Amino acid sequence: MWYNAIPMKNTIERRVAIAFPPTRFSRIEKMRGVFRFIAEKNNWKIEIIQGELTPDRLESFDGIIITGTPSADFLNILDSSSIPAAFIEVQTQRATNAVIIHTDDRQIAYDIVRFFTTKGVYQGASIIQNRQSTRFFVHCAKRIQELFSKQDIPCEIVSDPSELTLTALPHAIFAVSDEMAAKAISHCQANGLRVPLDVSVLGFANDFVLCENSHPSISSVDPDFEMQGYLAARELNRLMSACRPGKIRTFSAGTRQIIERKSTALHKTGEGLVRDALRFIQDNATRPIGVMDVVQNQNTSRRLIEVRFRERYGRSILATIHHFRLEATKKALLSSHETISNVCQKCGWKSENHPKK
């Protein structure tokens, strides 16, 4: 099917093939980026290719944009051809007349780890990448593992949810697709784990329909697929307009945003968490509460709330409970004629020995 773009400054009509996989969610965003560039700058006649091209058919075009997982035969045809080509997340053997657009694995790995570590404190982490993972996901997984390790969080890389080691909770999981994230959630729930209280799960690609209709809804990395399409069209236009083939160039696009949904809504953070926990302790200090009562009241992990308390007050939750309980005990002793033992019991102490010390 042919599509004619509106003629703008460029009056030379270009015949361009776009070979995108028919079922990938990311295709829509990449196509939007391609058409955004065309609408701004050029007069292209586009043919959407659902299958693969023969050498003769390929040479009838002025350029091609390709993404997905083309066959080895088709890649050989492209590598042997001289027509300008833009490869989005596809490796090529060409040295000239081509551009490679890829996802920035460094930036996305950093964004993922920062997202998890600002949400809470995790005892362990996992990355699920299927056995057919692209070069991007392989590199991204290694970088994520390195970044978690620098924060003393052990991180494993597995190829299937059934291989997950989930002994250290709470646990952070990044899956290389939203489909894989959904499988990970099902696996965790089938093994009696709560998502997100025990395990937080983050997907990739932000497939809105899938993410919103899962239970719980799936948080997901939203890569800038539209920018990939835009860069591919812009650079392909440059190649088609050049007087002679140029050296191959590489461009990258990072994360547009990380969409948070219920699968990672694990913790309150910062001042809000400490403030609410402190209020609970003040209101209940004269009852026989312990650290786990505070943790359960805040619906969070013990490690996270302990870290936040030490950051804010320089002492543990237990020390904070004892501080407010002791203040209440002092006031009661000054205003009461009851025995020390009775006052201590009413103020939540198990015995009078601790407050006496």
Side-chain angles (χ1 to χ4, degrees):
M1 184 179 294
W2 290 97
Y3 298 86
N4 282 306
I6 300 172
M8 298 294 285
K9 297 178 181 179
N10 208 337
T11 58
I12 301 175
E13 185 177 82
R14 307 287 188 186
R15 299 178 73 252
V16 176
I18 298 182
F20 282 8
T23 57
R24 292 290 297 274
F25 176 79
S26 60
R27 175 193 183 195
I28 299 171
E29 293 296 309
K30 292 174 184 176
M31 287 290 292
R32 183 178 286 120
V34 171
F35 279 102
R36 177 160 65 90
F37 177 80
I38 294 171
E40 290 176 2
K41 304 289 183 182
N42 291 281
N43 179 27
W44 284 8
K45 189 176 182 181
I46 293 175
E47 183 174 353
I48 307 298
I49 306 297
Q50 298 294 340
E52 298 184 346
L53 296 171
T54 63
D56 291 341
R57 181 102 187 280
L58 180 62
E59 295 301 329
S60 67
F61 293 99
D62 297 306
I64 183 171
I65 300 175
I66 183 169
T67 189
T69 52
S71 68
D73 290 340
F74 190 33
L75 277 177
N76 288 334
I77 292 172
L78 282 172
D79 289 341
S80 300
S81 172
S82 61
I83 73 164
F87 298 85
I88 305 178
E89 295 292 355
V90 176
Q91 293 302 305
T92 177
Q93 300 301 316
R94 285 197 186 188
T96 60
N97 225 24
V99 61
I100 296 175
I101 312 296
H102 66 84
T103 308
D104 191 335
D105 58 89
R106 289 177 179 271
Q107 184 60 50
I108 288 186
Y110 175 79
D111 289 344
I112 289 168
V113 174
R114 183 177 60 179
F115 173 80
F116 275 123
T117 54
T118 55
K119 291 301 299 175
V121 178
Y122 293 90
Q123 302 284 0
S126 299
I127 303 156
I128 309 175
Q129 57 176 28
N130 57 39
R131 292 177 177 84
Q132 292 77 39
S133 286
T134 63
R135 179 176 175 271
F136 158 73
F137 283 122
V138 171
H139 286 193
C140 187
K142 289 180 180 178
R143 296 190 191 284
I144 292 171
Q145 189 177 47
E146 290 170 0
L147 290 169
F148 271 127
S149 297
K150 287 180 180 179
Q151 300 191 38
D152 296 323
I153 300 174
C155 180
E156 63 181 356
I157 300 176
V158 300
S159 57
D160 188 83
S162 63
E163 300 172 7
L164 290 168
T165 303
L166 298 169
T167 54
L169 303 178
H171 200 92
I173 295 176
F174 168 64
V176 299
S177 70
D178 296 323
E179 293 88 349
M180 188 67 78
K183 291 179 182 178
I185 289 173
S186 296
H187 173 77
C188 292
Q189 291 172 337
N191 284 274
L193 297 174
R194 301 167 297 171
V195 180
L197 296 179
D198 297 320
V199 179
S200 292
V201 181
L202 179 67
F204 187 89
N206 193 36
D207 185 331
F208 181 83
V209 175
L210 175 59
C211 291
E212 287 291 337
N213 290 284
S214 295
H215 300 286
S217 56
I218 301 172
S219 299
S220 187
V221 178
D222 184 18
D224 203 344
F225 290 130
E226 182 177 345
M227 179 56 69
Q228 290 184 353
Y230 184 89
L231 290 171
R234 186 191 72 185
E235 292 305 304
L236 181 64
N237 186 69
R238 179 186 61 80
L239 291 172
M240 293 188 298
S241 302
C243 299
R244 57 186 179 185
K247 291 183 178 180
I248 193 167
R249 299 174 69 183
T250 302
F251 295 85
S252 63
T255 308
R256 185 156 48 189
Q257 58 186 323
I258 294 180
I259 307 295
E260 183 179 6
R261 299 184 178 91
K262 292 182 180 179
S263 68
T264 57
L266 178 59
H267 306 300
K268 298 176 185 177
T269 56
E271 289 296 322
L273 174 62
V274 174
R275 182 185 62 249
D276 291 348
L278 191 63
R279 185 181 299 118
F280 175 79
I281 293 172
Q282 288 176 309
D283 292 344
N284 295 276
T286 56
R287 295 175 54 244
I289 63 170
V291 175
M292 288 311 299
D293 295 294
V294 180
V295 172
Q296 291 170 6
N297 177 262
Q298 295 303 305
N299 197 24
T300 186
S301 75
R302 179 168 182 165
R303 186 180 177 192
L304 171 66
I305 197 168
E306 287 281 13
V307 168
R308 294 291 183 255
F309 256 83
R310 290 189 182 280
E311 289 175 349
R312 181 68 177 83
Y313 295 111
R315 62 186 178 210
S316 68
I317 296 173
L318 184 60
T320 304
I321 294 173
H322 287 169
H323 168 78
F324 284 105
R325 187 172 289 161
L326 191 59
E327 290 298 313
T329 304
K330 288 193 290 185
K331 289 180 181 179
L333 287 171
L334 289 171
S335 61
S336 172
H337 296 290
E338 293 188 61
T339 64
I340 292 176
S341 178
N342 287 342
V343 169
C344 289
Q345 186 177 8
K346 288 183 178 180
C347 289
W349 300 100
K350 291 181 178 179
S351 74
E352 60 187 82
N353 293 330
H354 195 156
K356 276 185 176 180
K357 290 179 182 179

